[in-house]
Amino acid sequence: DIQMTQSPSSVSASVGDRVTITCRASQDISGWLAWYQQKPGKAPKLLIYGASTLPGGVPSLQSGVPSRFSGSGSGTDFTLTISSLQPEDYATYYCQQANSFPLTFGGGTKVEIK
Amino acid sequence: QLLESGGGLVQPGGSLRLSCAASGFTFSSFAMSWVRQAPGKGLEWISAITGAGYGKYYAESVKGRFTVSRDNSQNTLLLHMNSLRVEDTAVYYCAPEYGSRNYYRDWGQGTLVTVSS
């Protein structure tokens, strides 16, 4: 099974800060990676798929996901960046590999208010 | 839209059947998955089934105990859960694939399964 390791497990940041979350796969998953945001009591929300694409298929267009979210990486190392943290971004973020079954999620990164 | 149902309280060793009613998309064209989340824990993918229902995949944690199926005539996804354990306690979500890959954009509201004596 492919293990997905996220870091940090939690981060405290202020509104306006740049936040970076990393996800490392235990083996090469090419670009088959997604990022999700989850708020308490809610289902996850897809932020990024294919490592760098916002839902809607065109990275430069609004897709319900603000453009302050971006993803990068390939192979085993991936990054989710929030360019300027907003109050509504306080949540837990998960990566997920879609390279092969069993699909696996990272352990999550909680973004908290500093 | 995705609407899960069938959750509830069950004793260890018991069985339960979850349903996911789908609408608003061509159900038979999409692979479907079940993802669960134990209280206060992270997300865990547990099962997927291809659009026609011939391909089925499971996490090791549920293999041999859970069975996924679908009724494309009723736009319904099912999860038959047997030999339930305390550690199966979780909110169970269904989700269709997105982007022709097992990404998940659309989710149901989830149904809570509690395994306890």
Side-chain angles (χ1 to χ4, degrees):
Chain A
D1 298 4
I2 300 174
Q3 309 302 318
M4 305 301 293
T5 303
Q6 281 183 241
S7 61
S9 57
S10 66
V11 57
S12 294
S14 301
V15 172
D17 285 353
R18 182 182 184 90
V19 174
T20 299
I21 300 169
T22 64
C23 181
R24 174 164 289 178
S26 61
Q27 63 189 72
D28 189 342
I29 60 169
S30 186
W32 304 115
L33 184 101
W35 290 98
Y36 299 86
Q37 176 194 67
Q38 188 180 33
K39 297 181 179 180
K42 301 294 186 181
K45 175 182 180 179
L46 180 65
L47 295 177
I48 301 280
Y49 70 100
S52 61
T53 303
L54 274 66
V58 181
S60 62
L61 295 181
Q62 285 293 333
S63 56
V65 176
S67 59
R68 62 181 178 273
F69 291 93
S70 64
S72 65
S74 66
T76 60
D77 294 312
F78 301 87
T79 299
L80 173 70
T81 299
I82 310 172
S83 60
S84 178
L85 195 69
Q86 298 303 301
E88 59 268 30
D89 300 336
Y90 290 98
T92 299
Y93 293 83
Y94 296 93
C95 62
Q96 175 233 326
Q97 64 85 12
N99 181 74
S100 59
F101 290 110
L103 308 179
T104 44
F105 288 87
T109 296
K110 188 172 184 179
V111 177
E112 300 175 300
I113 301 172
K114 187 172 184 179
Chain B
Q1 185 178 4
L2 300 154
L3 187 63
E4 300 95 339
S5 61
L9 176 63
V10 61
Q11 292 188 336
S15 299
L16 213 54
R17 188 187 79 166
L18 303 185
S19 296
C20 169
S23 61
F25 62 100
T26 306
F27 182 70
S28 60
S29 295
F30 292 85
M32 296 290 296
S33 282
W34 288 97
V35 176
R36 70 183 180 184
Q37 187 169 35
K41 302 297 184 182
L43 300 168
E44 180 187 17
W45 171 87
I46 58 170
S47 184
I49 184 169
T50 56
Y54 298 122
K56 300 180 182 182
Y57 307 89
Y58 299 94
E60 199 61 40
S61 59
V62 305
K63 196 175 293 184
R65 301 187 299 122
F66 291 11
T67 301
V68 64
S69 63
R70 63 192 298 160
D71 183 345
N72 286 343
S73 69
Q74 298 293 319
N75 290 351
T76 299
L77 176 71
L78 299 172
L79 186 67
H80 300 260
M81 304 187 295
N82 296 321
S83 303
L84 282 162
R85 305 167 179 167
V86 171
E87 55 265 34
D88 294 320
T89 295
V91 174
Y92 286 73
Y93 297 100
C94 65
E97 65 172 343
Y98 176 78
S100 299
R101 199 80 179 187
N102 291 294
Y103 303 118
Y104 307 109
R105 183 191 66 180
D106 301 308
W107 299 70
Q109 86 291 345
T111 187
L112 176 62
V113 172
T114 302
V115 184
S116 174
S117 55

